Amino acid sequence: MATAKKAPAKKAAKKAAPAKKAAPAKKVVAKKAPAKKAAPAKKAPAKKAAPAKKAPAKKAAPAKKAPAKKAAAKKRTPNAAFMKPLTPSAALAAVIGHHAVPRTEVVSKLWTYIKKHGLQDKVNKRNINADDKLKAVFGKGQVTMFELAGLIGKHLS
């Protein structure tokens, strides 16, 4: 049992030791901060040499940025699946017209119809209150704008 009493005492000593080590570390940091303030005054001649090194680096950086802009421009090409003209069902054609149009254009025409007829909910603008034509498309009286694309997909072929 004597050994059992000594073991907790050692653990307590170990726990206390890191706490003491942490406090001097803070003091060391405090001492280093004034040293950093004094260092720039001594390094003034070194700063004159540093801009000469930075100038070539700046010239190289724009060269790297130019290909990045070209890569971003390549990403903006439209997806062929979105641009493919699709034929709307009879219910959807009553709202947007009978012509075959891309999926993106269907959503745009639907929003034009919704805003023209004031079907957006007054309190919660994310909701769309369906009239008789839209009920045939949506299948319910009110939908959120996030459901819109999914519900339209069923009416395109």
Side-chain angles (χ1 to χ4, degrees):
M1 286 199 182
T3 55
K5 289 182 180 178
K6 288 181 183 178
K10 287 181 183 179
K11 288 181 183 176
K14 287 181 183 178
K15 288 180 184 176
K20 289 181 182 178
K21 288 180 183 177
K26 290 180 184 176
K27 290 180 183 177
V28 173
V29 172
K31 289 179 183 178
K32 286 183 181 178
K36 288 180 182 178
K37 290 179 183 177
K42 293 179 184 177
K43 292 183 180 179
K47 285 185 179 178
K48 291 179 183 177
K53 292 179 182 177
K54 288 181 181 177
K58 286 183 180 178
K59 289 179 183 175
K64 292 179 182 176
K65 288 182 181 177
K69 288 180 182 177
K70 290 179 183 176
K74 290 179 183 176
K75 289 181 183 177
R76 292 181 184 225
T77 56
N79 188 347
F82 285 123
M83 303 315 289
K84 179 182 176 186
L86 300 169
T87 308
S89 68
L92 186 58
V95 179
I96 65 164
H98 297 283
H99 298 65
V101 290
R103 187 179 300 271
T104 54
E105 194 65 28
V106 172
V107 175
S108 294
K109 287 186 178 190
L110 224 109
W111 273 108
T112 304
Y113 179 86
I114 290 165
K115 290 185 179 184
K116 181 180 176 183
H117 291 89
L119 299 175
Q120 205 168 0
D121 194 48
K122 304 290 183 214
V123 178
N124 188 353
K125 300 269 185 179
R126 291 179 289 186
N127 291 340
I128 299 159
N129 300 320
D131 62 356
D132 293 333
K133 289 182 181 179
L134 288 180
K135 276 185 186 176
V137 176
F138 298 152
K140 51 186 176 178
Q142 189 177 48
V143 296
T144 65
M145 68 166 125
F146 305 111
E147 298 174 60
L148 202 60
L151 295 169
I152 292 169
K154 296 173 186 174
H155 293 276
L156 295 171
S157 59

